[in-house]
Amino acid sequence: QAHLAESGGGLVQPGGSLRLSCAASGFILDYYAIGWFRQAPGKEREGVSCISSNDGSTDYADSVKGRFTISRDKSKNTVYLQLNSLKPEDTAVYYCAANVWFGRNRKSLTPNEYDIWGQGTQVTVSS
């Protein structure tokens, strides 16, 4: 059974950093496009970052570009999201997700194009 589990969230001051982990079981992460998404109260789920299955190309939402970095560790079957220079508006539940049908080198920041979702991890940025 394919499963994703996020971890690493918590409370951090503005300007601080966190590293989120997305650990996969039941499938090999390297063969799928992986995305990070977030959802704050009263807002729709939005794409944050994604990485393709073959060449590992990445994309970022304009709001996080230059501050967040997505990466993959094949040996641990885990995708990470490094969050730097955090702002209060980054506060949200962060989810990772996998797409099961994208071809190689394809990626997307559209939530409804992803199939397998984790339960989410809370990130709170506050002084």
Side-chain angles (χ1 to χ4, degrees):
Q1 183 71 36
H3 179 72
L4 294 172
E6 303 94 336
S7 62
L11 175 64
V12 64
Q13 294 183 355
S17 298
L18 288 171
R19 189 177 74 160
L20 308 183
S21 299
C22 175
S25 59
F27 68 102
I28 300 174
L29 267 179
D30 194 47
Y31 293 122
Y32 300 91
I34 305 297
W36 280 98
F37 304 85
R38 66 186 182 187
Q39 188 165 19
K43 297 183 179 180
E44 294 186 352
R45 191 168 299 185
E46 63 175 347
V48 175
S49 184
C50 53
I51 185 167
S52 66
S53 62
N54 186 46
D55 61 4
S57 62
T58 60
D59 198 9
Y60 299 90
D62 288 341
S63 60
V64 307
K65 194 170 299 182
R67 300 188 297 120
F68 293 4
T69 304
I70 190 171
S71 62
R72 174 187 285 126
D73 186 337
K74 293 196 298 183
S75 67
K76 297 181 179 180
N77 208 29
T78 299
V79 170
Y80 302 95
L81 185 68
Q82 179 68 42
L83 290 68
N84 295 329
S85 302
L86 283 163
K87 306 174 181 179
E89 51 263 44
D90 295 319
T91 297
V93 177
Y94 283 71
Y95 301 88
C96 67
N99 178 281
V100 302
W101 67 77
F102 281 176
R104 61 182 64 188
N105 303 329
R106 185 179 175 186
K107 58 188 183 293
S108 173
L109 288 173
T110 303
N112 63 12
E113 294 184 352
Y114 287 77
D115 310 287
I116 305 171
W117 290 82
Q119 295 279 43
T121 185
Q122 177 71 48
V123 172
T124 302
V125 185
S126 176
S127 61

